[in-house]
Amino acid sequence: MTELTNEQIHDTLVLPYLNHAARMFEAGYASAVDIDNAMRFGCGYPKGPLTVIDEIGADAVRAGLRARFLTSGDDLHDPAEVLNTLAHDGRSFAESGSAAGASAPELKQQITKVGVVGTGTMASGIVQVFAQAGYDVVFVGRGDDKIAGVVAFIDKGLSKLVEKGRIDEDAKAATLGRLTGATDREALADVDLVVEAIAEDLAIKTDLYRDLDRICKPGAILATTTSSMPITSLGAVTSRPEAVIGMHFFNPATIMKLVEVVTTEATSAEVNETVLAVCAKVGKVAVSCGDRSGFLVNCLLFPYLNDAVKLLESGAATIDEIDEAIKEQAGFPMGPFALLDVVGIDVSLAIQQELFAEFGEKGFAPAGTLETLVAVGSLGRKTGEGFRAY
């Protein structure tokens, strides 16, 4: 039997998540709108964390965190200074000026032809997104079979849209007609923007960026859809670090609306604005952030998931009790353990390890159960067993 009520489970897991979002805003890492949009469109949450703080009230959130901090001594539970300020002034994030609407981004350079490197599910989805939006797309893979696989993937996806009445056969044919597959990277010589979506291996990506810098025309933007590699390192091996940027699409790229647009200190403002404008043209919600581990979504999501595992380890609640409490109290589409099994426990552990290494917060140390499950190969749905059996 649980030692905690659903409300207590909610507060144990959600209040630190809200505090982390407040600190992210306080540090100037991202705007309130972008922080909220990241979690709404990246995780399917009904409301962003800063909106939730406004609804609960900064004073109430601060009080709940103070109580946790007195018990845990975890710096992550020490209320963000912005919560103290908002509570003192009786203001909200919405009233703080942080949510003020900005003018729509504009293309600072012409983007008519797009290149994509990679042939996996993510790369294929990105190719489809650009082609459907009217761009000519050159995609590069390691063999003719890989190229054919991308076309088959897109053909199947478009056929489903035709069946649902979302597009007609002419639109499908036009989209397929914009595709050019190639096995030689030299085919990217005249693209205006190239999106790299290959394996998450820094050495492999670094070699690719040296090659892209040689091949692509002057002024071409080099983007990566990495979720974990340091983008600054990729830019550093090119002669155009100002044109290197992150475009982190979420999987499946054809469905998920969010793109995290990640700038390094070297990325030019014109390149950033152009990429933001391109995201809008292809129907995505773009959020802006800097080049650090986790970007927006992973940096807020995975510590919360890690905390859920630590709560389980404490014996204060079961897997089912925690999942149900979060769905009921927070309105999240999935409980943390259901989500961990979907994402993959190995992936979750790797991301949490990166966050721990980047920020050095004791509270970010990966939960022991994650390490144990990975060690025995219980990785979630993909192996048939994780926190639950499938």
Side-chain angles (χ1 to χ4, degrees):
M1 182 179 294
T2 182
E3 296 177 11
L4 302 176
T5 65
N6 280 3
E7 186 175 351
Q8 288 171 323
I9 291 172
H10 168 275
D11 289 354
T12 298
L13 298 181
V14 174
L15 290 184
Y17 152 70
L18 299 179
N19 198 39
H20 196 181
R23 287 184 172 185
M24 191 177 273
F25 166 77
E26 181 179 274
Y29 181 65
S31 71
V33 170
D34 282 353
I35 290 169
D36 276 0
N37 280 344
M39 300 312 287
R40 288 178 56 223
F41 294 101
C43 296
Y45 289 179
K47 298 167 185 173
L50 303 185
T51 295
V52 172
I53 291 173
D54 283 351
E55 292 184 355
I56 296 173
D59 196 36
V61 172
R62 179 182 63 167
L65 285 164
R66 277 179 172 171
R68 286 289 307 284
F69 183 53
L70 287 172
T71 302
S72 70
D74 186 341
D75 288 341
L76 296 173
H77 301 153
D78 192 9
E81 186 58 37
V82 68
L83 296 177
N84 297 327
T85 301
L86 293 177
H88 179 270
D89 296 343
R91 293 168 63 98
S92 65
F93 282 103
E95 296 168 334
S96 68
S98 60
S103 57
E106 298 179 355
L107 289 169
K108 297 299 182 181
Q109 62 191 79
Q110 188 176 30
I111 305 292
T112 57
K113 193 172 187 178
V114 175
V116 176
V117 183
T119 54
T121 301
M122 176 62 82
S124 300
I126 293 170
V127 172
Q128 182 176 334
V129 165
F130 279 109
Q132 273 191 265
Y135 290 96
D136 291 326
V137 185
V138 178
F139 62 97
V140 178
R142 288 179 293 180
D144 291 333
D145 57 331
K146 299 288 188 181
I147 299 302
V150 174
V151 175
F153 175 95
I154 295 172
D155 188 286
K156 183 178 179 181
L158 294 174
S159 294
K160 288 181 180 178
L161 294 177
V162 171
E163 289 172 12
K164 294 177 181 177
R166 300 268 298 278
I167 63 172
D168 58 24
E169 288 288 354
D170 288 343
K172 174 185 171 181
T175 298
L176 292 173
R178 298 185 192 104
L179 305 179
T180 301
T183 56
D184 190 338
R185 293 175 184 170
E186 303 294 332
L188 300 169
D190 63 344
V191 301
D192 304 298
L193 164 69
V194 58
V195 182
E196 167 270 311
I198 63 172
E200 291 286 80
D201 182 303
L202 187 58
I204 295 173
K205 286 183 187 289
T206 300
D207 286 344
L208 171 63
Y209 270 74
R210 289 193 185 96
D211 217 19
L212 292 177
D213 186 43
R214 174 185 63 80
I215 292 167
C216 295
K217 66 185 180 183
I221 297 171
L222 309 183
T224 175
T225 193
T226 184
S227 62
S228 61
M229 297 291 107
I231 298 166
T232 302
S233 297
L234 300 179
V237 302
T238 74
S239 63
R240 58 179 100 189
E242 74 285 348
V244 176
I245 195 167
M247 289 182 75
H248 179 214
F249 286 80
F250 282 67
N251 203 24
T254 53
I255 296 172
M256 297 294 284
K257 297 285 284 184
L258 188 72
V259 177
E260 290 176 318
V261 176
V262 188
T263 54
T264 73
E265 290 190 5
T267 306
S268 75
E270 291 76 17
V271 165
N272 181 42
E273 186 166 359
T274 295
V275 169
L276 291 171
V278 167
C279 288
K281 286 193 70 174
V282 300
K284 300 300 183 183
V285 175
V287 295
S288 295
C289 58
D291 184 22
R292 73 178 194 189
S293 183
F295 307 145
L296 284 168
V297 173
N298 286 356
C299 200
L300 291 174
L301 175 63
F302 285 90
Y304 144 76
L305 297 176
N306 195 51
D307 282 350
V309 181
K310 290 180 177 179
L311 178 59
L312 173 69
E313 291 172 348
S314 76
T318 67
I319 289 172
D320 289 340
E321 287 165 346
I322 294 170
D323 274 4
E324 287 306 313
I326 290 300
K327 287 165 64 180
E328 175 194 301
Q329 295 286 317
F332 292 177
M334 301 177 78
F337 294 101
L339 184 56
L340 281 161
D341 280 350
V342 168
V343 170
I345 295 167
D346 53 338
V347 173
S348 303
L349 175 60
I351 292 171
Q352 194 61 34
Q353 288 170 331
E354 289 170 10
L355 295 174
F356 185 40
E358 170 96 10
F359 297 103
E361 293 280 1
K362 291 182 180 178
F364 280 176
T369 302
L370 292 178
E371 296 173 330
T372 300
L373 288 172
V374 170
V376 300
S378 296
L379 308 182
R381 284 185 174 270
K382 60 188 174 185
T383 60
E385 188 169 356
F387 284 99
R388 293 184 174 92
Y390 299 92

